[in-house]
Amino acid sequence: MGAFRRFAEATGTVTKAEREGGGQVFEAGWTKKPGWTWRSANRAAQRLLANGPDESVSAQLAEAAFTQWQAGQSAVLLALDDRRWSVRMLPAPIDGYLLVWVASSTLDVAVASALLDCLTDRVSEQVVVTDPRGRIEWINREFERGTGYTLAECVGRTPGELLQGPLTDPGAVAYMGERLRSGQGFHGVEVLNYARTGRPMWLRIAVEPVFGDDGRVQHYVGVQLDITRQRTTRSEVETLAEQFGMVKESGRLGVWSRDIGSGVGTWDDQVHRFFGYGQAEPTPDFSEVSQRIHPDDRERTVAAWQNSVESGDRGEVRFRVQAPDGSTRMLYSIWRVERDAAHRARRAFGAMIDDTASSVFTRDLGELSSRLELAADLAGMGTWRYDLASGLIYWDERIFKIFGLPAHSNGMPPELVYSYAHPDDVGGALAANATALEGNAPVDTQTRFRRVDGREILVMTRRVAQRDARGKVVGIF
């Protein structure tokens, strides 16, 4: 860059990027950046070129740092441009980066800051430099963006003072402090810290000491990477894996896959058990598996599989399996079909759930409900509900049948209901309702009613207060 600047000044050359107000930069493809030229590619570089060492010196410093690092050295002393330069190299915690610390007896603070900016302007990690006591001397722009603190706010304070919070791990803090007090660095410490706004952020931190010629620590250079997204994703994956493992351990979930072209399948132990195969037996092909599907479900299940393979869509089906021992299981299978670059079905993988227990429960519940309905009809029993909010009474079909009335779903005012009751019994029924609303115990009464055909009947009624989830009385049942 320095040689080209001297050439441009001597010849009056103006580049195309300068004429057009910006040049092309390769960032996952060529991109035009307004104002981006060889003169203005980096603000920190401009400051360095204007105020710092000659460009040739900068190049020699960088080349010396890289060469010595490849040779296994971590420091080098150079005499360039009538100055004595101390160049130290530190491994960054991010692969592909080398931190370079440059110091000179005649280098002022502004130039040193420009040098650091040049070194860290393009990295996505937060870089901080402290004195031997851990007080901040310098931070890069990514540190400002990530934490919300400016350089002026940070200078003289420690990173822990700024960033640590209520959920920061004290064990990690103690470990980092112990290493630094002994003049040692550390790598890969993950700790929960906080931005200026209070936003929690997970950081992976590495710190290295910078020693002077006397062997004492002059500075600490820290690099921290925000891994909040990775930690969150990892936590979610671990939770899902734990839940998945718990479900699998219950014996109700199995996973499977099948190559579409060859028909070769892979089952886990649970799917083998679902179909009545031993765990050591090879996974059967699809035609053999289909023979164990209940005859009434086989055609529908095979069609669901074939339609999914042809369309490439997600598939699901519920079916019964008959094992060799005569037992029957209700299974629910769901899968997805992968396709190759030519859009041909390549492989299917999915999960299978043993739904037998819930299926039996649903069946038994239906049978029980039917039996209760029959028993209620035979005993002349019915249910009613008084809704406190609307002030209406609702009957089921059996109560309408008891009174000889056509059934409907509309609520009725209490005055209409008790117009069928014997006048001498109305007071007792209303008092029982009031008692039920005030307590939790059921209240029983016997009330005489007159059917629409004129026949008098004696009805025994049991009522109890109905409450919502918060315990508030909402009616009588």
Side-chain angles (χ1 to χ4, degrees):
M1 184 183 291
F4 188 82
R5 185 181 70 174
R6 291 189 290 273
F7 169 79
E9 291 173 349
T11 61
T13 299
V14 179
T15 64
K16 181 179 180 181
E18 293 176 279
R19 293 194 303 271
E20 297 180 354
Q24 300 285 330
V25 178
F26 192 82
E27 295 178 339
W30 287 104
T31 304
K32 183 174 182 178
K33 286 211 170 187
W36 191 290
T37 71
W38 69 273
R39 295 179 183 272
S40 57
N42 185 302
R43 288 190 303 164
Q46 290 180 17
R47 292 170 54 199
L48 181 59
L49 293 174
N51 304 310
D54 181 79
E55 294 88 341
S56 61
V57 175
S58 298
Q60 291 180 65
L61 289 174
E63 182 178 357
F66 182 70
T67 301
Q68 292 299 316
W69 179 258
Q70 284 188 314
Q73 302 297 317
S74 60
V76 61
L77 294 175
L78 298 174
L80 300 171
D81 194 27
D82 298 326
R83 301 181 187 182
R84 185 169 178 267
W85 299 87
S86 174
V87 184
R88 300 186 183 276
M89 295 74 72
L90 305 173
I94 310 302
D95 292 340
Y97 291 105
L98 179 66
L99 295 179
V100 181
W101 176 268
V102 182
S104 170
S105 58
T106 57
L107 196 63
D108 62 25
V109 175
V111 177
S113 178
L115 277 167
L116 287 170
D117 283 345
C118 281
L119 292 169
T120 64
D121 189 51
R122 288 180 176 273
V123 302
S124 59
E125 293 72 43
Q126 302 170 16
V127 182
V128 57
V129 178
T130 74
D131 65 13
R133 298 175 59 185
R135 294 174 299 192
I136 296 174
E137 297 178 320
W138 179 88
I139 58 174
N140 71 340
R141 292 189 182 91
E142 188 60 33
F143 189 100
E144 292 183 337
R145 285 191 290 265
T147 68
Y149 290 102
T150 64
L151 177 60
E153 294 172 315
C154 293
V155 171
R157 304 171 71 182
T158 67
E161 177 186 349
L162 294 172
L163 304 179
Q164 292 170 12
L167 296 181
T168 301
D169 181 8
V173 174
Y175 169 76
M176 293 186 290
E178 181 181 350
R179 296 285 295 182
L180 297 180
R181 283 190 295 272
S182 63
Q184 303 178 75
F186 56 84
H187 291 260
V189 176
E190 296 185 2
V191 64
L192 180 64
N193 278 348
Y194 296 83
R196 182 177 181 178
T197 60
R199 173 181 59 85
M201 55 183 180
W202 280 97
L203 299 175
R204 182 181 293 126
I205 305 175
V207 175
E208 284 289 343
V210 178
F211 297 97
D213 295 336
D214 58 0
R216 296 181 179 180
V217 175
Q218 290 185 336
H219 305 276
Y220 285 103
V221 179
V223 179
Q224 55 191 36
L225 177 66
D226 190 333
I227 58 169
T228 304
R229 180 175 297 179
Q230 296 94 311
R231 286 283 302 220
T232 301
T233 302
R234 186 169 69 191
S235 176
E236 292 174 349
V237 170
E238 290 173 350
T239 299
L240 288 174
E242 182 179 358
Q243 294 173 344
F244 181 77
M246 291 175 62
V247 174
K248 286 202 68 178
E249 288 176 5
S250 71
R252 294 190 56 225
L253 176 68
V255 292
W256 60 271
S257 66
R258 190 169 293 277
D259 183 83
I260 305 298
S262 66
V264 176
T266 302
W267 287 355
D268 71 355
D269 294 345
Q270 298 295 353
V271 178
H272 275 85
R273 185 174 60 84
F274 293 163
F275 281 85
Y277 288 93
Q279 297 179 359
E281 295 184 68
T283 301
D285 60 31
F286 187 79
S287 60
E288 180 181 344
V289 171
S290 63
Q291 294 306 308
R292 295 202 177 182
I293 299 175
H294 193 285
D296 294 343
D297 300 341
R298 186 177 302 146
E299 182 178 354
R300 174 175 52 84
T301 303
V302 172
W305 166 256
Q306 292 176 342
N307 290 338
S308 175
V309 171
E310 293 172 2
S311 64
D313 294 334
R314 169 181 171 275
E316 60 178 314
V317 66
R318 191 184 302 273
F319 58 96
R320 289 167 292 175
V321 169
Q322 293 179 313
D325 62 5
S327 63
T328 300
R329 291 181 181 272
M330 175 64 75
L331 301 179
Y332 173 68
S333 185
I334 183 170
W335 65 89
R336 184 165 65 88
V337 176
E338 283 186 345
R339 295 190 173 275
D340 58 19
H343 202 63
R344 294 185 298 258
R346 185 177 69 87
R347 186 172 70 106
F349 58 93
M352 195 171 292
I353 300 173
D354 184 354
D355 206 26
T356 305
S358 61
S359 176
V360 171
F361 175 77
T362 302
R363 183 196 64 198
D364 291 347
L365 184 62
E367 292 179 359
L368 178 60
S369 178
S370 298
R371 291 175 182 177
L372 289 174
E373 292 280 345
L374 178 60
D377 285 338
L378 294 175
M381 295 172 56
T383 60
W384 61 276
R385 181 174 61 88
Y386 172 60
D387 182 65
L388 199 59
S390 65
L392 299 177
I393 294 176
Y394 295 85
W395 285 352
D396 71 357
E397 293 184 0
R398 287 184 295 274
I399 292 187
F400 281 104
K401 185 177 180 180
I402 292 171
F403 280 80
L405 294 170
H408 60 78
S409 60
N410 299 324
M412 299 175 290
E415 295 82 5
L416 175 60
V417 172
Y418 288 108
S419 67
Y420 296 104
H422 193 285
D424 295 342
D425 296 345
V426 172
L430 294 177
N433 290 345
T435 302
L437 289 172
E438 294 174 357
N440 295 317
V443 181
D444 298 336
T445 59
Q446 289 188 352
T447 307
R448 291 168 291 178
F449 286 92
R450 187 174 300 278
R451 287 168 45 96
V452 294
D453 59 7
R455 181 164 58 91
E456 187 176 275
I457 57 175
L458 180 63
V459 177
M460 189 185 81
T461 304
R462 169 166 287 187
R463 68 213 10 107
V464 68
Q466 184 181 15
R467 301 178 182 274
D468 61 14
R470 294 173 296 179
K472 179 182 178 182
V473 175
V474 294
I476 299 175
F477 182 77

